[in-house]
Amino acid sequence: MTEPYDPDGTVAEALARYFEANGWSPAVYDEPYTEFWLWRFRIRFPNTPRHRLAIRLHDLHHCVTGYGTDFVGEWEVSAWELRRGVRTLGLYVASIVCLGAVSGFLLAPRRTLRAWRAGKGPSLFDDLDSYEELLALPLRELRARLGVPPEGLTVGGFHRDAPARAMG
């Protein structure tokens, strides 16, 4: 599998590709609840204003790092985010990130530890430019700001219902 996001394209273009490959829409940001799968169970969480911002940044983190949207990829991005700091997100959102990281350390310890180690650096959560300004940046520039190599950290897999999974 090759780099799914063009480092010379904009962050907005990478995010659009992320949504397309996963079969999602940015409309989820404004839904009253967010849903995710925990093994075979679909879990719904209230989508508070702080959670909405965190989801937007979380999705950008997938584009920046390349971590997938399968279980292990979500655990990796959670460990990466946790290492960078989540204190400005509040207890509710920080606990979701912690749950993901702990799950990864228990069920995929090597990959999660590698993501934790790669997570040392600045956080979008603590020093947030305007979200629209972030979207306008070249992906390569956002990766540089966050101390991530131009090609990202990895190329991850997709969640079980992703259209890209059926194509690749």
Side-chain angles (χ1 to χ4, degrees):
M1 193 182 299
T2 61
E3 157 74 272
Y5 311 112
D6 177 8
D8 295 316
T10 66
V11 173
E13 291 166 346
L15 189 61
R17 178 147 168 73
Y18 168 83
F19 279 122
E20 179 186 357
N22 284 288
W24 294 331
S25 161
V28 299
Y29 296 149
D30 297 318
E31 295 291 325
Y33 291 91
T34 58
E35 296 181 343
F36 73 93
W37 285 96
L38 184 61
W39 289 275
R40 294 179 186 243
F41 303 100
R42 188 176 294 254
I43 309 293
R44 289 175 45 131
F45 278 103
N47 198 10
T48 65
R50 200 175 272 187
H51 188 249
R52 289 176 183 172
L53 174 61
I55 292 172
R56 282 178 167 89
L57 297 177
H58 176 84
D59 289 346
L60 292 186
H61 291 157
H62 278 285
C63 295
V64 165
T65 62
Y67 294 133
T69 56
D70 57 351
F71 284 126
V72 177
E74 291 295 346
W75 299 334
E76 287 172 316
V77 81
S78 290
W80 188 85
E81 290 172 339
L82 186 61
R83 177 76 186 268
R84 288 179 179 252
V86 293
R87 64 182 170 269
T88 60
L89 298 178
L91 183 60
Y92 170 66
V93 175
S95 65
I96 295 169
V97 173
C98 288
L99 175 63
V102 167
S103 297
F105 282 119
L106 292 173
L107 299 168
R110 285 189 206 133
R111 284 180 55 183
T112 306
L113 181 59
R114 189 176 320 123
W116 168 265
R117 288 180 176 147
K120 185 175 182 182
S123 172
L124 289 181
F125 294 144
D126 291 333
D127 185 25
L128 178 62
D129 290 329
S130 157
Y131 183 72
E132 288 72 29
E133 288 176 19
L134 293 174
L135 293 177
L137 292 174
L139 181 58
R140 178 183 306 277
E141 184 177 328
L142 183 56
R143 284 176 170 167
R145 282 188 186 187
L146 296 174
V148 173
E151 68 280 0
L153 296 170
T154 189
V155 177
F158 296 97
H159 65 92
R160 68 182 188 176
D161 297 324
R165 187 177 206 170
M167 294 183 287

